[in-house]
């Protein structure tokens, strides 16, 4: 029993991050755009508490035309943030789903090609 041989065999069979990246490489532009949309959606969501704070401080201010204009502006900013965040989140989800579906389709084609290219002995020895 040699543990080094076992280690070498496991390294060849296992999945690595580099192998995963090489398999996903054709989808790099979709994944990059989806990741950018993820960051933008998260950034807009992090601004929302600040705008809520502005709304609360505007409501607690004394009455006046300036307070109403500030409140209108803050509410408009809140709506714009929610719409922007939703837009980026939907684009992100769509792109991640599309790239995942393409990746799975490519895996299935590779698996089918691999099975088709097997010698006839493979099918005699393997039950399906």
């Amino acid at each position: 029993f040699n543990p080094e041989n076992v280690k070498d065999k496991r390294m060849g069979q296992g999945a690595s991050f580099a192998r995963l990246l090489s398999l996903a490489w054709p989808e790099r532009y979709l994944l990059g755009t989806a990741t950018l949309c993820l960051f933008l959606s998260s950034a807009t969501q992090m601004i929302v508490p600040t705008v809520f704070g502005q709304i609360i401080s505007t409501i607690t201010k004394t009455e006046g035309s300036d307070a109403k204009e500030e409140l209108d502006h803050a509410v408009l900013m809140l709506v714009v943030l929610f719409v922007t965040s939703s837009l980026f989140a939907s684009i992100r989800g769509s792109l991640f789903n599309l790239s995942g579906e393409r990746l799975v389709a490519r895996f299935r084609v590779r698996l089918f090609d691999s099975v088709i290219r097997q010698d006839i002995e493979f099918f005699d020895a393997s039950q399906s």
Side-chain angles (χ1 to χ4, degrees):
F1 176 73
N2 189 354
E4 290 180 11
N5 289 342
V6 173
K7 182 179 176 183
D8 291 340
K9 287 180 184 177
R10 276 188 275 159
M11 287 182 64
Q13 294 172 354
S16 67
F17 189 68
R19 184 172 179 207
L20 178 65
L21 286 179
S22 71
L23 291 172
W25 186 251
E27 306 302 325
R28 64 188 176 274
Y29 297 117
L30 283 177
L31 292 172
T33 305
T35 304
L36 178 65
C37 287
L38 170 71
F39 289 138
L40 293 173
S41 176
S42 298
T44 56
Q45 284 295 319
M46 292 189 327
I47 298 171
V48 168
T50 305
V51 176
F52 267 120
Q54 288 176 353
I55 290 173
I56 291 171
S57 67
T58 302
I59 290 173
T60 58
K61 278 186 179 180
T62 58
E63 295 294 321
S65 63
D66 287 342
K68 183 175 177 350
E69 288 178 14
E70 285 182 34
L71 182 62
D72 289 344
H73 182 264
V75 169
L76 180 64
M77 284 295 297
L78 191 63
V79 169
V80 167
L81 284 173
F82 281 138
V83 168
T84 304
S85 175
S86 298
L87 178 70
F88 284 131
S90 64
I91 292 171
R92 174 210 50 181
S94 299
L95 291 178
F96 276 135
N97 282 334
L98 179 63
S99 62
E101 289 170 2
R102 286 182 177 179
L103 192 62
V104 168
R106 204 166 28 257
F107 287 160
R108 288 178 180 166
V109 167
R110 288 178 65 181
L111 175 65
F112 183 74
D113 286 342
S114 175
V115 169
I116 290 297
R117 295 183 194 283
Q118 295 295 322
D119 292 330
I120 196 69
E121 292 87 21
F122 172 79
F123 298 105
D124 290 339
S126 300
Q127 293 286 334
S128 59

